[in-house]
Amino acid sequence: MPTSARQKLRVVVAGGHGKIALLLTRTLTNRGHAVVGIVRNADHVADVEAMGGTAVVLDLEHSDVASVATVLEGADAVVFAAGAGPGSTAERKYTVDRDASNLLAAAAEKAGVQRFVQISTSRAGAPAAKGSTPVWVAYIDAKTQAEDALKATGLDWTILRAGALTAGPGTGRVTLAGRHVPRGSVPREDVAMVLAELVVSGAAVRRTLELTTGQVPVATAVAATGP
């Protein structure tokens, strides 16, 4: 789904109140695109609006395909940025990080939204290290299962496996590749910039990408991943 610089997109972001999601909303709306953030708590609507987006209150853990598809109607792309978050139980790693992603993908197919970008983790794709806590084991397993389920769909998916997230300012320069990247960290702001570029450019369809801080400008790095 490559787009011209003039084409304005409608993008729906699940987990719209997350730190990366809010930065993504700001990045996209600053570029003239429309963003709808799906949030679980009505108290979070104002934060999405402060970033230039609009918000829909919908709990993906307690919803169904038809309800979510209604929110997605008319969208050009969907981003799964939801997560159970620190301090959550192993059970919620599955109900949010896996099941909510699967629900969103099914709703995208029903609504006819082809482009789907999923935020994952650099640790996905293999079992958690021996001796990991049960919650960490569940988190890695849930992310891996969510990736596998998305790959089995007919969507134009891209999976972004980000390194350890930091709160510092973005550098605008990254290492982004469809192969193993040495483990490292990356500012959330740079993750948001990469996500925005993936959505707007339509690059890296049906590819899994690994992301850390690096030396390549974001737009150049995304363009190098191919169509």
Side-chain angles (χ1 to χ4, degrees), residues 49-183:
E49 293 176 343
M51 293 295 179
T54 59
V56 172
V57 179
L58 184 69
D59 187 349
L60 294 176
E61 285 184 276
H62 302 94
S63 192
D64 55 39
V65 171
S67 298
V68 180
T70 298
V71 177
L72 302 187
E73 286 179 3
D76 297 289
V78 179
V79 178
F80 182 78
S88 57
T89 64
E91 179 184 8
R92 290 200 71 229
K93 301 303 183 188
Y94 288 105
T95 58
V96 180
D97 293 85
R98 180 194 64 187
D99 296 346
S101 178
N102 295 350
L103 174 66
L104 191 70
E109 290 184 309
K110 183 176 178 63
V113 183
Q114 194 66 18
R115 183 67 167 135
F116 193 109
V117 180
Q118 179 192 76
I119 302 177
S120 190
T121 172
S122 62
R123 304 300 179 94
K130 187 176 181 180
S132 298
T133 66
V135 172
W136 182 253
V137 171
Y139 173 69
I140 298 304
D141 186 42
K143 285 295 190 187
T144 300
Q145 289 191 39
E147 287 188 4
D148 291 344
L150 182 58
K151 291 174 185 176
T153 70
L155 298 170
D156 290 342
W157 55 265
T158 302
I159 295 166
L160 184 64
R161 291 178 174 173
L165 301 172
T166 65
T171 67
R173 293 178 176 271
V174 298
T175 296
L176 181 69
R179 52 176 170 72
H180 176 69
V181 169
R183 285 178 178 167

Side-chain angles (χ1 to χ4, degrees), residues 13 15-29 35 37 39 44-53 81 192:
V13 180
H17 189 254
K19 293 176 181 178
I20 292 174
L22 290 172
L23 292 168
L24 173 61
T25 297
R26 184 183 68 188
T27 301
L28 286 171
T29 56
V35 178
V39 298
H44 295 160
V45 169
D47 292 331
V48 176
E49 293 176 343
M51 293 295 179

